[in-house]
Amino acid sequence: MALDALAFQMINGLASASGLFFVAAGLSIIFGVTRIVNMAHGAFYMLGLYLAVTLADRLPGPLGYWGGLLLAALAVGLLGAAVEVLLLRRIYHVPELYQLVATFALALILNDAALWLWGPEDLLGPRAPGLKGSVELIGRRLPEYDVFLAFAGPAVLLALHLLMKRTRFGRTVRAATQDREMVAALGINEALLFTAVFALGAFLAGLGGALQTAREPANLNLDLAVLGDAFVVVVIGGMGSIPGAYLAAVLVALVKALCIALGTVEIAGLAFNMSKLTLVAEFLVMALVLVLRPQGLFGRPQAAAARAAASEAPLRPMGGTGRALALAALAVALAVPALATVWAYAPVLALDMLIAVTFAASLHLLMGPGGMASFGHAAYFGLGAYGTALAATGLGLPTLPAFAVGILAAGAGALLFGWFCVRLEGVYLAMLTLAFAQIVWSVVFQWEEVTGGSNGLIGIWPDWPFDSRAGLYLAALAVTVAGLYLIRRLIFAPFGHALRAGRDARMRAEASGIDVARIRWLAFTASGMLAGAAGGLYAFAKGSISPETLAVGRSIDALVMVLLGGLASPAGPVLGAGAFTLLQDTVMRETDYWRALLGALILALVLLFPGGIAGGLSRLFAGGRADG
Amino acid sequence: MTAPPVLSVGNLAKAYGGVHALDGVSFDVHAGELLALIGPNGAGKSTCFNVVNGQIRPDAGTVRLEGRDITGLPPRAIARLGVGRTFQIAAVFGSLTVLANVETALLASRGASFGLWRPQDGQARGEALDLLAQTGLAALADRPATGLAYGDVKRLELAIAIAGSPRLLLMDEPTAGMGTHERLALIGLVRRLAAARSLAVLFTEHSMDVVFGHATRVIVLARGRVIADGSVEEIRADPQVRAVYLGRSAATGERGS
Ligand SMILES: Nc1ncnc2c1ncn2[C@@H]1O[C@H](COP(=O)(O)OP(=O)(O)O)[C@@H](O)[C@H]1O
Ligand SMILES: [Mg+2]
């Protein structure tokens, strides 16, 4: 490795670190005061970039360009204030999970707003006036703009430091971050503080985006990419710490720079292209930090999770009605192949539903009884799909062994990632699952020789007797029923009770001799394997898969299915997955703006029907009984 | 007494920044004993409990259970070795029934929490009902634990804590937030259970009627140090204790009685 190459990559890395720092700092400040992890923060960054590109094109001269950047960031800050007043104020009191999905819904809506305003094409902004040239450094040419950005990060860090230390606003923010009750006691206008903090956080994200105008084109994938990176940075630096965010951003950027500078190296006779390992490297840094200092480099130890009191009713064995309903559903499901003669689409739709039910049920095991909200469950779905597909096409295994390989691949992934995840709680856990899923996605995306990269894998067909539509459907039905039965056994067994005990009162469970981390680890792995089974079915059902199979959108679909069905009921995922698939295959297929539609659906769920379908039904029942 | 003490802590120290929460604390607890750990707020009582049950690792000192060094073991391991505890803010498993709460604790103490197939219902039912009868909760067995009256939650937590047949029971402010009548009833229950099972009980308490009426021995903690250790009568008469702890108003001792 040449030293000059490293130096070059480091300056480049510091430039990227600045952008990442702005987003992470905003995320951190907002979390510190409001305790909300804003999943829409990447969208703010993306909007900042789009707005800046647009303004730079319209406003004349250098003043127009730089003024436009600032205007774009300010506009995003204003948008943040509006979001706080209109949305967040309604969700401060709801459980963490609902806050996460609500802000994610906002991200979906903002993404479609950008699609509507700017179209699907990438937009490249003009170069920055005054900084178009490059400087020489150890025989290499560095863009002046990168050098400028590398200094912009520390400058904003300093400005934030002064803001926090020297102003009344800053002192209030710090007080609120340390002790929220104190704010009320001091007679500070809490509503105004929260709005201001959210606006500041959004402004920072918008600024981070706007400053990228001269470096990268605006595109619609940026929001999630940046969010994943910002999560990694915040986890490493410590939630709520601004210097931590900067240090972590630099650390991540430098590790990446090192990987790129190393290029292709030989390890034990094998050539590794290190530059493709950048995301894995990021993950390794995060994993190391989480093992050594779970609260992050500069974070405070997490207070024992103050759980929103579990209002869930105890699980009862299925009564006569429940059993009759389950049998009726099974009978209908068995009759579907016969329907094909009158309604050709029925088996296709029903197969989609079965896959969705298995997937949603696996996530429900994790989120419901396990109390662990995963924002990256698609990773295990995808590992199952790719494992199955590679075993079937690459290794040429028959259908059943290939399916087993898929499940094992997903299980191995869940075993590995779960070990880290189960040690965290709440939003930290959610962020980590999302970060892991992003990593799996990018590995699949980049590892072209094996996974086919963005083209994916094709020609994944099952052999006899699964090669007919009815055959595959009935096999999927068997897998789904077996999966649901397995989950039921698990949650009624001592394991399921210990799992719920650890969720309801972790310290209490530990003090009774329950190894909560291991119980949760096993649940995580079982859940991952079931998701993998769903993924394997998906691969055979579609015949081809692509990185889209394990993109974050699929994780969110699963979350919506679970919430739509009702988190507190074991029947929830079945109802939710059924309803969601129907909605997806009919309404959403008809519009380009399905993300916004999905976002609106999620917001409606969180704000109006937090109990989901199962909750609504049982309320209906209880009401009827009370009347009668 | 010839048997080794059930619990023996020696020279425990734990500091938070500059605050010495525990500063060289040593004492023993014997089987059948109800030892009250008292002291003003911030004296280090909860910290002491958390060190004994493994939630906090001490900076220095040892914790021995029946002669065995258990310092630094995680809470679940210490629980399995025979230490039960209740928390200052009572904690039970809200989404389980009262019966399932106790069954879950029973199975955990046997290391059976990883049973994946056979339903839990029925695996420890008899013993769980027995424990509920002993704690006066038999009638509530099928109720969800959420929504119990606070006194019932406290008794349920007690049932959970003794489910593993511990040798030592730790109770952090077992009667906090209860009325006089309930308070004395609960401590009476603890006393009967401790006698029947020859348990060693270590508890912290703010109500002097409970301490002076029921403890067999009292230890007074102040700023992380033991300032007195003796019988109820000795502690009542100790001038240093009166100065540090009861000093503000001798009437505190008579409060509620
Ligand atoms: N996690 C902690 N971080 C910092 N200080 C703590 C922590 N836990 C306890 N302390 C301090 O240690 C001292 C003893 O606390 P504690 O054991 O809770 O007292 P008690 O239970 O007797 O009221 C107090 O000064 C308290 O502020
Ligand atoms: Mg205390």
Side-chain angles (χ1 to χ4, degrees), chain A residues 16-30 38 40-46 156 160 200-210 212 222-223 225-231 233-234 245 249:
Chain A
S16 327
S18 294
L20 201 51
F21 162 62
F22 296 158
V23 183
L27 202 63
S28 233
I29 295 173
I30 291 175
N38 178 30
H41 222 64
F44 288 155
Y45 172 96
M46 182 183 76
V156 169
L160 281 174
L200 172 64
F203 167 80
L204 283 172
L207 185 65
Q212 296 296 312
L222 277 176
D223 52 353
V226 165
L227 188 68
D229 276 351
F231 278 174
V233 163
V234 166

Side-chain angles (χ1 to χ4, degrees), chain A residues 368-380:
Chain A
M372 293 174 275
S374 168
F375 274 66
H377 216 49
Y380 312 105

Side-chain angles (χ1 to χ4, degrees), chain A residues 314 489 492 494-495 503-504 508, chain B residues 85 91 94-95 113 115 117 120:
Chain A
R489 292 301 302 213
F492 278 95
F495 172 75
R503 173 197 65 184
D504 291 352
R508 171 71 266 163
Chain B
R85 80 164 286 179
S95 70
S113 293
W117 196 253
Q120 168 164 307

Side-chain angles (χ1 to χ4, degrees), chain A residues 12 116-117 217 239 288 291 301 374 409 419 450 467 500 553 563 578 615:
Chain A
N12 197 299
W116 183 67
L117 284 169
M239 205 80 189
L288 201 68
V291 172
S374 168
W419 191 87
V450 175
D467 54 351
R500 275 173 285 151
L563 295 180

Side-chain angles (χ1 to χ4, degrees), chain A residues 139-313:
Chain A
R140 286 205 177 214
R141 307 199 68 77
L142 268 173
E144 279 171 358
Y145 194 75
D146 282 11
V147 179
F148 159 75
L149 263 192
F151 283 105
V156 169
L157 176 64
L158 185 68
L160 281 174
H161 177 78
L162 293 176
L163 179 73
M164 291 297 161
K165 285 272 148 73
R166 297 284 164 81
T167 66
R168 201 177 112 78
F169 171 73
R171 278 192 295 272
T172 314
V173 167
R174 280 191 300 144
T177 304
Q178 271 161 26
D179 183 355
R180 272 210 289 183
E181 272 70 57
M182 202 157 97
V183 177
L186 289 174
I188 288 156
N189 183 341
E190 212 183 37
L192 197 64
L193 173 69
F194 280 26
T195 311
V197 161
F198 207 81
L200 172 64
F203 167 80
L204 283 172
L207 185 65
L211 283 173
Q212 296 296 312
T213 306
R215 284 185 98 220
E216 62 176 331
N219 72 72
L220 293 168
N221 298 322
L222 277 176
D223 52 353
L224 284 177
V226 165
L227 188 68
D229 276 351
F231 278 174
V232 171
V233 163
V234 166
V235 167
I236 292 176
M239 205 80 189
S241 163
I242 297 171
Y246 184 69
L247 201 75
V250 170
L251 193 64
V252 165
L254 289 187
V255 170
K256 282 188 178 184
L258 191 66
C259 282
I260 296 172
L262 281 172
T264 305
V265 294
E266 286 211 1
I267 300 170
L270 286 168
F272 277 102
N273 187 348
M274 295 293 284
S275 63
K276 287 200 170 178
L277 284 183
T278 49
L279 264 162
V280 181
E282 193 175 316
F283 149 68
L284 285 178
V285 174
M286 179 173 71
L288 201 68
V289 167
L290 278 174
V291 172
L292 299 177
R293 256 183 94 80
Q295 72 271 34
L297 295 177
F298 285 73
R300 304 160 151 271
Q302 282 172 264
R307 293 218 167 282
S311 59
E312 193 178 307

